[in-house]
């Protein structure tokens, strides 16, 4: 619809490692940066994952993950900036190279979910354990950046996923902000911010299907900067026509509850063709059909086509 861009939305550089300390105890750590050396402005919005935390969107290199931990016989413990317990379920449908994860609340209010704890949670302490088909996670954030700072557990969240690598899986997660303020600045949490998500996933050798339903309070923001309670729905489908050729399709729908004034909503469908060269290298082409609206009912985003190469 009149705009063309060359973008770099998914380049990453990082380190990951582990070290055995004693019998039954292993230390691990991970560091990851996003890299964007193409452009710092955005005309065409091309991802549910905004990539950079607040204040880092114009930087060529920005932090994404950084944590250390211990893996023990009773589970693993990790501290730092890390994928949240909430994202354990949101990832069911955040599967595409572009245009996904916009309705689950993982990246609420246009952030990377670091402050609220639903995406890449900042200053987070996590406990994780997996027993057979059941995996659970408990998360807390402790910080002093809010006027309503608590001595511990400024934000807490938890998740449970039941299922195996192949076949049917069910998941649920909850996240709640306890140190929120009524009118926060961009680096402060929102008062009353709560989010719950439920997911269903089916994975076979050549087929993947998943759906998620998110229910949130004061977690999302509209085009006028107003917080709202919302319901979000996502669908993700993938079919491996051959080992190298994949067909993908998805749908994202986020809308405020009926008490919110205006017609704001996020709604779009996507479709992709992906050619996988192996070793993480992929060539993809895809389209997004937009029906998102501003509060006054006007069209918010353009439909778009994108093609790209990940090496």
């Amino acid at each position: 619809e009149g705009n063309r861009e060359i973008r770099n939305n998914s380049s990453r550089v990082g380190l990951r490692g582990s070290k055995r300390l004693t019998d039954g105890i292993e230390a691990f750590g991970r560091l990851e940066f996003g890299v964007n050396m193409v452009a710092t402005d955005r005309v065409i919005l091309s991802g549910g994952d905004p990539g950079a935390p607040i204040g880092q969107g114009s930087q060529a290199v920005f932090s994404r993950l950084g944590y250390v931990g211990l893996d023990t016989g009773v589970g693993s413990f990790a501290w730092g900036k890390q994928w949240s317990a909430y994202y354990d379920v949101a990832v069911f449908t955040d599967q595409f190279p572009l245009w996904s994860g916009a309705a689950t609340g993982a990246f609420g209010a246009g952030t990377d979910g670091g402050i609220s704890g639903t995406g890449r949670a900042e200053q987070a302490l996590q406990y994780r354990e997996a027993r057979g088909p059941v995996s659970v996670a408990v998360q807390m954030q402790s910080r002093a950046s809010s006027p309503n700072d608590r001595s511990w557990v400024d934000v807490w969240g938890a998740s449970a996923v039941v299922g195996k690598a192949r076949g049917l899986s069910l998941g649920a997660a909850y996240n709640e902000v306890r140190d929120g303020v009524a009118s926060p600045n961009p680096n402060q949490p929102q008062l009353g911010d709560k989010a719950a998500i439920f997911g269903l996933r089916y994975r076979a050798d050549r087929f993947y299907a998943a759906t998620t339903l998110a229910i949130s309070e004061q977690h999302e923001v509209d085009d006028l900067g107003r917080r709202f309670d919302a319901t979000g729905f996502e669908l993700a489908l993938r079919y491996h026509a051959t080992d190298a050729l994949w067909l993908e399709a998805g749908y994202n729908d986020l809308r405020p509850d009926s008490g919110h004034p205006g017609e704001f909503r996020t709604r779009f469908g996507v479709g992709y063709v992906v050619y996988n060269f192996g070793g993480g290298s992929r060539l993809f082409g895809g389209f997004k059909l937009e029906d998102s609206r501003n509060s006054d009912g006007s069209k918010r985003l353009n439909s778009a086509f994108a093609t790209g190469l990940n090496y």
Side-chain angles (χ1 to χ4, degrees), residues 141-162:
Q141 290 171 268
S142 185
R143 56 179 175 234
S145 60
S146 167
N148 294 331
D149 173 50
R150 307 296 179 97
S151 57
W152 284 92
V153 195
D154 292 310
V155 184
W156 74 275
S159 70
V161 177
V162 180

Side-chain angles (χ1 to χ4, degrees), residues 256-286:
D257 291 352
S258 58
H260 187 73
E263 300 180 38
F264 180 86
R265 71 171 181 241
T266 297
R267 182 165 66 182
F268 59 84
V270 295
Y272 305 90
V273 176
V274 180
Y275 189 85
N276 182 21
F277 295 97
S281 298
R282 300 172 186 175
L283 176 69
F284 64 87

Side-chain angles (χ1 to χ4, degrees), residues 72 74-78 125-129 131 136-139:
T72 73
V74 294
S76 66
F77 302 83
L125 175 66
Q126 283 185 3
Y127 168 76
R128 293 180 175 275
E129 174 65 314
R131 297 286 181 179
V136 297
V138 179
Q139 170 184 300

Side-chain angles (χ1 to χ4, degrees), residues 93-105:
T93 49
D94 187 20
Q95 291 287 313
F96 303 135
L98 301 173
W99 306 315
S100 66
T104 60

Side-chain angles (χ1 to χ4, degrees), residues 101-276:
T104 60
F107 312 112
T111 71
D112 71 341
I115 297 171
S116 64
T118 53
R120 293 187 293 276
E122 298 174 355
Q123 302 180 34
L125 175 66
Q126 283 185 3
Y127 168 76
R128 293 180 175 275
E129 174 65 314
R131 297 286 181 179
V134 180
S135 60
V136 297
V138 179
Q139 170 184 300
M140 59 159 282
Q141 290 171 268
S142 185
R143 56 179 175 234
S145 60
S146 167
N148 294 331
D149 173 50
R150 307 296 179 97
S151 57
W152 284 92
V153 195
D154 292 310
V155 184
W156 74 275
S159 70
V161 177
V162 180
K164 297 182 179 180
R166 289 289 184 267
L168 188 66
S169 296
L170 303 172
Y174 178 76
N175 192 85
E176 180 176 335
V177 172
R178 301 177 67 239
D179 64 336
V181 295
S183 300
N185 64 42
N187 288 297
Q188 290 178 332
Q190 172 68 36
L191 182 68
D193 187 327
K194 303 176 183 178
I197 187 171
F198 307 91
L200 176 66
R201 175 178 65 192
Y202 178 77
R203 182 185 283 139
D205 290 340
R206 292 193 174 275
F207 184 70
Y208 180 93
T211 184
T212 50
L213 175 68
I215 302 170
S216 62
E217 297 179 7
Q218 300 300 294
H219 185 66
E220 301 284 1
V221 64
D222 67 12
D223 59 305
L224 299 179
R226 301 173 299 183
R227 293 278 179 155
F228 59 86
D229 300 346
T231 301
F233 172 78
E234 292 189 11
L235 176 68
L237 302 170
R238 178 183 298 117
Y239 174 65
H240 292 227
T242 67
D243 290 341
L245 183 64
W246 304 351
L247 305 176
E248 300 178 333
Y251 177 73
N252 282 216
D253 191 330
L254 173 70
R255 60 184 63 199
D257 291 352
S258 58
H260 187 73
E263 300 180 38
F264 180 86
R265 71 171 181 241
T266 297
R267 182 165 66 182
F268 59 84
V270 295
Y272 305 90
V273 176
V274 180
Y275 189 85
N276 182 21

